[in-house]
Amino acid sequence: VQRQATAPDEQAEFTMQLINASGQTRERTGTVYERQVAPGALDEMRLVRFHSPADIKSSGVLTIEHSDRDNDQWLYLPAYHATRRISPANRGDRYMGTDFLYEDIMREKIEEYRYRTSSEDTLGDVRCIVLEAVAIAEQLARETAYSKKLSWIDPARDLILRVDYYDRDGRLFKRLIVAEVEKVANKYRWLTVRMEESVRQHTTVMKYSGRK
């Protein structure tokens, strides 16, 4: 799945909608740039740059993944002319006010989790393997916001179609649902995805375009 999700270099435009419990919507736009740290590596460098609204225009989040140590994450806020490093201890913080956390935009380090096939299930007409992931690395287990994650994976495309996130108390915290998929340069990619948080009754909808 990770190999399928990785390309030597990639970029896409996105529109982000933040929808609260009353149905009120705020919209953001931006560009995400990704590049392998080294040719053929799973580790990536990822820059998310926001273009609108005006109060976050030119803000950016840079993630540099490392296979042998903690990943680096940096937040740039032009309104304050400041760059701030996101500590691994803060990986459970909300990402730019969305329903994603900083740890959600980093690739899982496989050796830091215990995986097992939980079950099989059908999403629409797609037969999926449901994979459970539990953090076993000491630091990650201490800092992650999740007790476990369940991922619905389409084995024919090596593509994640849904993720259920459980909080530290074992309760369902939020759910990621992939609504649309596209194929670009022989890679399957999310086109529209929803992150629904049950606690706040809040949803973040991501729509991608212009991917290359």
Side-chain angles (χ1 to χ4, degrees):
V1 169
Q2 290 191 352
R3 286 194 201 99
Q4 200 285 133
T6 306
D9 61 85
E10 186 168 347
Q11 74 177 67
E13 308 301 315
F14 66 83
T15 299
M16 177 188 291
Q17 293 179 321
L18 307 180
I19 307 168
N20 66 18
S22 301
Q24 296 174 314
T25 301
R26 293 176 292 152
E27 189 169 288
R28 298 175 176 179
T29 62
T31 306
V32 56
Y33 307 88
E34 297 182 338
R35 187 173 181 177
Q36 289 176 334
V37 171
L42 290 179
D43 297 332
E44 288 187 331
M45 297 177 284
R46 184 176 305 106
L47 174 65
V48 180
R49 178 75 75 186
F50 289 89
H51 306 318
S52 69
D55 61 337
I56 64 167
K57 182 179 180 180
S58 298
S59 296
V61 179
L62 173 66
T63 303
I64 302 177
E65 298 173 348
H66 304 289
S67 58
D68 58 347
R69 61 187 189 277
D70 286 336
N71 296 332
D72 287 315
Q73 277 190 316
W74 300 85
L75 171 64
Y76 173 64
L77 298 172
Y80 301 97
H81 303 286
T83 300
R84 179 171 66 89
R85 184 174 185 271
I86 306 299
S87 167
N90 299 119
R91 70 178 85 219
D93 290 353
R94 296 190 186 281
Y95 168 68
M96 300 293 287
T98 70
D99 295 289
F100 293 86
L101 307 184
Y102 281 97
E103 65 179 296
D104 296 335
I105 62 171
M106 291 189 288
R107 192 180 307 277
E108 291 178 5
K109 295 183 179 180
I110 294 174
E111 67 277 6
E112 294 186 343
Y113 289 84
R114 182 187 71 243
Y115 295 93
R116 72 179 184 92
T117 302
S118 174
S119 62
E120 294 186 0
D121 194 12
T122 301
L123 294 179
D125 58 354
V126 180
R127 190 70 176 173
C128 294
I129 295 171
V130 183
L131 195 68
E132 179 188 85
V134 176
I136 57 172
E138 183 178 342
Q139 181 179 350
L140 177 62
R142 186 171 60 249
E143 295 171 350
T144 181
Y146 309 124
S147 60
K148 68 177 180 179
K149 293 184 283 188
L150 296 180
S151 298
W152 276 250
I153 298 172
D154 174 6
R157 295 179 290 181
D158 293 325
L159 184 70
I160 293 174
L161 297 179
R162 170 178 152 185
V163 183
D164 284 2
Y165 301 82
Y166 290 81
D167 65 18
R168 304 280 298 196
D169 295 322
R171 297 170 299 195
L172 181 62
F173 174 36
K174 61 185 184 179
R175 174 172 291 163
L176 181 143
I177 300 170
V178 179
E180 292 181 277
V181 174
E182 64 176 344
K183 190 176 184 181
V184 180
N186 292 319
K187 295 282 188 178
Y188 292 101
R189 291 293 183 266
W190 297 343
L191 191 58
T192 305
V193 61
R194 298 172 60 90
M195 182 69 91
E196 301 175 349
E197 187 182 314
S198 55
V199 177
R200 294 193 303 163
Q201 295 186 332
H202 195 278
T203 301
T204 300
V205 179
M206 296 283 294
K207 295 184 179 181
Y208 295 95
S209 63
R211 190 184 297 275
K212 56 186 177 182

